[in-house]
Amino acid sequence: LAKTTQPISMDSYEGQEVNITCSHNNIATNDYITWYQQFPSQGPRFIIQGYKTKVTNEVASLFIPADRKSSTLSLPRVSLSDTAVYYCLVGDMGSGAGSYQLTFGKGTKLSVIP
Amino acid sequence: EAQVTQNPRYLITVTGKKLTVTCSQNMNHEYMSWYRQDPGLGLRQIYYSMNVEVTDKGDVPEGYKVSRKEKRNFPLILESPSPNQTSLYFCASSSLADFTDTQYFGPGTRLTVL
């Protein structure tokens, strides 16, 4: 299983762009990178997923360098409601050959300051 | 409406008294899993199941049992609960198709073992 490393916490002011980097040096060829957001006492919810290069949706962007040993979640112009814990997951599901065990880790606690 | 339901949402019990937390999903997902969340430790996977009658251990399976007799249900069983199993528990489900590992989470069950 590819282990992930993220900063424990980050602070940001409202309106700023926030970049959270996740290291996954042992990522396997079939692994995807997925980010989740969790508010207190709620289950995590999917934000974005990617395999390589850049992925963008209405919520965030995900940047993955060519070696795929890290990834960066980018949240544009954060607001107070973006205060949450963000998890980076690396795993392979659906190929039939990979591990189906998912490791969320401790995540990054983002605090958005007014 | 696509959803994952858990029952009960809150439970206070005593050491050694067997309990079951139910989990049900209405999305015909193959994959279901259980997580526990503790302060400072993030989200840790207990057990997962890739289909009916197929279950595997996650990161912290000790003290827990699961069963998958029907596709929609994945109960978590604590045969002899202990205080160190006091935690917030989440059930999740997802499809295995197309390398997608978006997990749909239930609302959580807060368990206190006295």
Side-chain angles (χ1 to χ4, degrees):
Chain A
L1 290 176
K3 181 180 177 182
T4 59
T5 303
Q6 304 174 233
I8 294 174
S9 64
M10 295 180 68
D11 293 335
S12 175
Y13 288 102
E14 273 192 296
Q16 289 189 328
E17 178 185 74
V18 170
N19 295 310
I20 305 174
T21 297
C22 178
S23 297
H24 28 79
N25 292 317
N26 297 323
I27 189 169
T29 303
N30 292 331
D31 285 346
Y32 277 69
I33 300 155
T34 310
W35 285 80
Y36 284 81
Q37 174 192 57
Q38 185 182 27
F39 299 113
S41 298
Q42 294 184 27
R45 67 168 190 158
F46 172 84
I47 299 177
I48 197 166
Q49 182 183 71
Y51 183 79
K52 61 181 179 180
T53 62
K54 177 183 175 182
V55 179
T56 298
N57 61 23
E58 64 278 6
V59 177
S61 295
L62 178 59
F63 299 92
I64 304 169
D67 66 5
R68 302 199 330 122
K69 293 184 182 300
S70 67
S71 59
T72 299
L73 174 72
S74 182
L75 305 172
R77 299 179 299 280
V78 294
S79 64
L80 295 177
S81 62
D82 292 317
T83 294
V85 177
Y86 293 82
Y87 295 95
C88 163
L89 275 73
V90 174
D92 160 29
M93 291 176 64
S95 73
S99 169
Y100 293 89
Q101 182 178 342
L102 293 182
T103 301
F104 274 77
K106 299 180 182 180
T108 298
K109 184 175 183 180
L110 172 65
S111 298
V112 179
I113 307 165
Chain B
E1 179 190 354
Q3 60 181 356
V4 177
T5 57
Q6 295 178 228
N7 283 293
R9 295 289 311 280
Y10 302 90
L11 179 61
I12 300 175
T13 189
V14 296
T15 299
K17 185 176 181 181
K18 181 180 178 179
L19 67 92
T20 299
V21 184
T22 64
C23 173
S24 182
Q25 50 95 2
N26 62 0
M27 295 167 278
N28 201 36
H29 284 162
E30 300 90 352
Y31 189 97
M32 296 186 75
S33 59
W34 276 102
Y35 300 83
R36 63 176 289 175
Q37 186 164 40
D38 305 288
L41 297 178
L43 206 62
R44 295 179 292 170
Q45 193 174 43
I46 303 171
Y47 269 96
Y48 62 95
S49 168
M50 292 190 291
N51 217 321
V52 175
E53 302 293 359
V54 180
T55 62
D56 276 294
K57 296 178 181 178
D59 294 316
V60 288
E62 295 77 20
Y64 304 94
K65 286 177 58 177
V66 292
S67 69
R68 188 89 182 273
K69 299 188 185 305
E70 304 168 284
K71 197 171 186 179
R72 64 182 293 126
N73 297 322
F74 191 45
L76 179 69
I77 304 158
L78 285 72
E79 295 271 6
S80 183
S82 62
N84 64 13
Q85 292 178 298
T86 292
S87 187
L88 178 59
Y89 291 87
F90 289 101
C91 178
S93 74
S94 68
S95 168
L96 292 179
D98 300 324
F99 290 89
T100 298
D101 63 355
T102 303
Q103 302 232 338
Y104 293 82
F105 281 82
T109 295
R110 190 168 293 280
L111 171 66
T112 301
V113 182
L114 301 174

